[in-house]
Amino acid sequence: MDGLSRRNMLIAGGTLGALGALGMASPALARTPWSWEPAGSVAGSGPGADPNWVWDDEADQLLAAVIDRGDVPRINPILRTWTRNDQPLPTGLPADVRDFMERARQLPVWADQGKLDVAARFNVSRGFYLNLLNGVGGGMLSTAIPREARAVYYSKGGADMEDRVAKTSRLGFAVGDLDAYRPSGSIIVESVKTRMVHAAVRHLLPQSPGWSGTSGGQTIPISLADMLVTWHTLPTYAMRKMLEWRVPITPSESTAYLHVWQVTAHLLGIRDEYIPGTWDAANAQSRQLLDPVLGPTREGVELTDILLGQLAEQTSPASISRPMVNALARYLVGDRIADWDGISREPFWDPTIATIWPKLVGFREKLIPLPLVPQLAWTLDEAARRYIMFFLTKGKETHIEIPDTNRPS
């Protein structure tokens, strides 16, 4: 298990041992009957089928055909040249791929450009919090989702987590950009590419013995329920934490921030009847979909260790970077999830961050004066800034590409 420290494996072993079979079977055991009403969605209605048994049929059929006929090496270099929302699709794409992408890039009729513009300004003004919450917080939540952790681990991206983080950050960077849904932006591009990647993984992962042996009975990965679970680790979680931290947010900003993620969910292939129409509906859906499926896995612990190791490399001084990173991650997601992720407890940094972070936020939002902010808070502030820059710049250096294989054995 390369890259996984003995200390973290021992911590994880204690957690997994205490919970017994839950770590292996939590997705199947914890799932509750689907009861979320499509009346609460952006569509306002729908059949209401359980999204655990719904996938992205159009994309899935297309990408299965693309992979089986060996077109991936030809398509990926062409896709690299498609970078802007307003850019025509590049020449040279197979006709079926081109036709799908033309349909997939269209905004839903309910998209509101005014709200998208407000959201773009909000994403920029609150980027410090959002990038930290989506990057570190969302990352730690995702590794505590057994289905997601295993899907990432056994897919091609799991073998190179730095590249995997870079590709994920590219989508995050695009949705948070000031020009996100403007012609010069790129979120439409990155969303369509990500939708195609998800479809490719659905075709490939069932061929992986490692994934099939740990899938908890799931035969096709990344259902729409799985996508919604991940969605809630981003906007729903981020909004909840910002409100908890008393970050000032106006009603129009709150509505707009939800809207940009609603449109993005649509572009990623989530059906409108499942996309929450309000924050109340989002929180209700999160309680049903996300909360029950959180749990520990060996794969999640290993991925967490790699992710936090990458983050620690961006902070200084080196002698305290990993303990501080551990404590920051624990503060963002709480003790239960941190323990499931195998994150070490840090006797100095855990209480320190819990004390100084609210003061740092208060100063940033002009809620408290500078003299009340401990000097140590600026060490944490700088560490967070460095991670955010790493998160964003890595996203610019890579490309979201269609895989044609699983994680090498």
Side-chain angles (χ1 to χ4, degrees):
M1 200 180 297
D2 296 339
L4 181 59
S5 71
R6 176 177 174 81
R7 180 186 182 195
N8 282 351
M9 194 64 249
L10 289 171
I11 292 171
T15 303
L16 291 167
L19 292 170
L22 176 61
M24 290 297 295
S26 56
L29 292 176
R31 190 181 306 133
T32 55
W34 176 248
S35 61
W36 191 81
E37 292 291 340
S41 70
V42 293
S45 63
D50 185 344
N52 280 290
W53 304 102
V54 181
W55 290 269
D56 188 353
D57 294 341
E58 182 182 12
D60 294 351
Q61 292 172 17
L62 170 68
L63 269 297
V66 167
I67 293 170
D68 289 345
R69 70 189 185 222
D71 266 352
V72 172
R74 178 165 71 98
I75 291 173
N76 276 333
I78 298 173
L79 290 181
R80 283 192 173 202
T81 67
W82 188 45
T83 59
R84 285 173 50 118
N85 293 335
D86 63 349
Q87 184 182 351
L89 292 178
T91 59
L93 289 169
D96 55 352
V97 174
R98 183 182 185 85
D99 290 346
F100 167 79
M101 292 176 65
E102 283 290 8
R103 292 190 298 273
R105 71 186 296 189
Q106 303 305 312
L107 294 184
V109 295
W110 45 264
D112 185 322
Q113 189 61 54
K115 290 180 180 178
L116 294 174
D117 289 341
V118 173
R121 293 192 293 271
F122 176 75
N123 276 317
V124 171
S125 66
R126 294 290 182 260
F128 177 82
Y129 307 119
L130 292 171
N131 289 320
L132 190 64
L133 288 166
N134 290 338
V136 183
M140 296 304 96
L141 287 173
S142 69
T143 54
I145 300 168
R147 280 186 177 177
E148 181 165 353
R150 288 168 176 146
V152 169
Y153 186 89
Y154 291 106
S155 65
K156 183 178 180 180
D160 185 350
M161 280 305 292
E162 183 166 345
D163 181 67
R164 176 66 164 75
V165 169
K167 287 173 178 169
T168 302
S169 67
R170 190 169 181 92
L171 181 67
F173 175 79
V175 75
D177 189 70
L178 185 60
D179 293 332
Y181 278 97
R182 288 291 184 182
S184 59
S186 62
I187 186 56
I188 296 174
V189 172
E190 307 301 356
S191 295
V192 172
K193 290 181 181 179
T194 300
R195 182 179 176 184
M196 296 169 71
V197 169
H198 287 164
V201 172
R202 289 190 193 99
H203 181 64
L204 292 167
L205 265 188
Q207 304 169 36
S208 164
W211 180 81
S212 297
T214 61
S215 65
Q218 189 180 40
T219 57
I220 304 173
I222 319 180
S223 68
L224 293 197
D226 295 327
M227 293 182 67
L228 288 163
V229 165
T230 302
W231 189 87
H232 287 297
T233 68
L234 297 166
T236 310
Y237 162 73
M239 179 57 70
R240 184 172 69 248
K241 295 301 290 186
M242 287 189 293
L243 293 176
E244 179 184 310
W245 293 344
R246 297 174 59 202
V247 175
I249 300 172
T250 67
S252 63
E253 288 174 332
S254 176
T255 299
Y257 181 64
L258 176 61
H259 189 66
V260 75
W261 279 101
Q262 290 168 331
V263 176
T264 303
H266 175 94
L267 290 173
L268 289 170
I270 297 176
R271 297 184 187 179
D272 289 358
E273 69 172 278
Y274 298 119
I275 301 172
T278 66
W279 282 118
D280 286 344
N283 286 316
Q285 190 184 85
S286 179
R287 285 191 294 271
Q288 181 173 47
L289 281 179
L290 173 61
D291 296 357
V293 302
L294 293 167
T297 61
R298 177 187 65 83
E299 295 86 353
V301 171
E302 183 171 349
L303 294 176
T304 297
D305 191 57
I306 295 170
L307 290 170
L308 293 183
Q310 291 177 359
L311 173 54
E313 291 175 2
Q314 311 309 311
T315 60
S316 62
S319 61
I320 63 170
S321 60
R322 182 56 188 266
M324 181 171 60
V325 164
N326 289 340
L328 176 59
R330 180 172 290 275
Y331 178 74
L332 290 174
V333 299
D335 287 337
R336 183 183 65 157
I337 291 171
D339 288 343
W340 283 343
D341 279 340
I343 301 173
S344 303
R345 291 180 181 265
E346 305 295 344
F348 172 76
W349 280 106
D350 286 349
T352 298
I353 288 181
T355 299
I356 66 178
W357 183 261
K359 291 182 171 59
L360 184 59
V361 173
F363 173 72
R364 282 181 163 275
E365 302 304 325
K366 299 180 174 57
L367 300 175
I368 63 173
L370 179 60
L372 296 180
V373 181
Q375 185 62 35
L376 194 58
W378 305 110
T379 301
L380 178 60
D381 184 77
E382 178 61 18
R385 285 179 178 276
R386 289 185 181 218
Y387 171 74
I388 290 168
M389 289 307 298
F390 167 75
F391 178 75
L392 294 180
T393 56
K394 282 291 181 182
K396 293 179 180 178
E397 295 170 2
T398 192
H399 299 273
I400 296 175
E401 296 185 326
I402 301 169
D404 57 2
T405 185
N406 291 313
R407 180 190 181 110
S409 298

